[in-house]
Amino acid sequence: MSNQYTTQQATQPNTAQTTPYHVNQHASAAGAYRTTHVNTMSGMHIVVELYKGMISNVEQAKTAYLDGKLDQMCRLNDKTYNILVGLQTHLDYEQGGEAAVFLNQFYNTIFGSLSKVLREPDTAQAFDDILAAIHPVYQRWCEFARGEKPAAE
């Protein structure tokens, strides 16, 4: 079993396995709701949700590590990598200037720290350190998002 996730897998809603002849109505409705919700969110609000996902993934990865579930920890780290790559790919250096340069360095740092988490003397503390680095940047994005109206308004 591979621990690799494609960007498509990381960004698409998790719907039940279906065939062309049998569609899980609940999963389809939930997927449509998620798509509508994302389409009505502003860019800042989407970034906030991505940061929430990163934080949740790192917290769950730490729990998986402590429970000895290294395969689950790796899958969660892969999800976080995909979020980081997505955020980094969409940096606008012309409009963002120094902030974009900071975020690029920040994403590289988080990616690197997460990549070597198992090599740290205290892996649980390494996860806590990663979370401590993410939280202030997440809080700043929340402040930006509070001042921005959703895209649908």
Side-chain angles (χ1 to χ4, degrees):
M1 177 182 227
S2 173
N3 287 332
Q4 298 293 323
Y5 280 89
T6 65
T7 303
Q8 181 180 9
Q9 288 171 316
T11 59
Q12 290 192 354
N14 183 15
T15 57
Q17 295 291 334
T18 61
T19 66
Y21 304 105
H22 176 73
V23 177
N24 182 327
Q25 297 297 329
H26 297 293
S28 296
Y33 173 78
R34 280 190 293 269
T35 299
T36 300
H37 181 67
V38 168
N39 288 339
T40 61
M41 293 172 68
S42 71
M44 296 285 184
H45 288 91
I46 291 171
V47 171
V48 167
E49 291 303 313
L50 290 169
Y51 270 77
K52 285 180 186 177
M54 262 198 308
I55 291 167
S56 175
N57 290 340
V58 174
E59 289 171 343
Q60 290 178 60
K62 176 185 173 185
T63 299
Y65 166 77
L66 292 172
D67 292 343
K69 298 177 181 175
L70 297 184
D71 58 332
Q72 183 179 359
M73 181 201 77
C74 289
R75 282 192 299 274
L76 289 159
N77 286 350
D78 283 346
K79 286 182 176 184
T80 303
Y81 296 146
N82 287 334
I83 292 171
L84 288 165
V85 168
L87 288 167
Q88 198 166 31
T89 301
H90 288 89
L91 288 173
D92 182 342
Y93 291 94
E94 288 182 29
Q95 186 176 350
E98 289 181 28
V101 171
F102 164 79
L103 288 170
N104 183 55
Q105 293 170 342
F106 173 72
Y107 298 146
N108 284 335
T109 299
I110 298 301
F111 195 98
S113 296
L114 204 53
S115 297
K116 61 183 182 180
V117 73
L118 286 174
R119 288 184 253 152
E120 296 297 327
D122 185 345
T123 300
Q125 182 60 51
F127 277 117
D128 289 340
D129 293 343
I130 292 167
L131 288 166
I134 294 172
H135 274 286
V137 180
Y138 164 69
Q139 291 300 323
R140 190 71 174 137
W141 279 110
C142 289
E143 291 171 18
F144 290 140
R146 277 193 286 276
E148 183 177 87
K149 291 185 177 187
E153 291 187 64

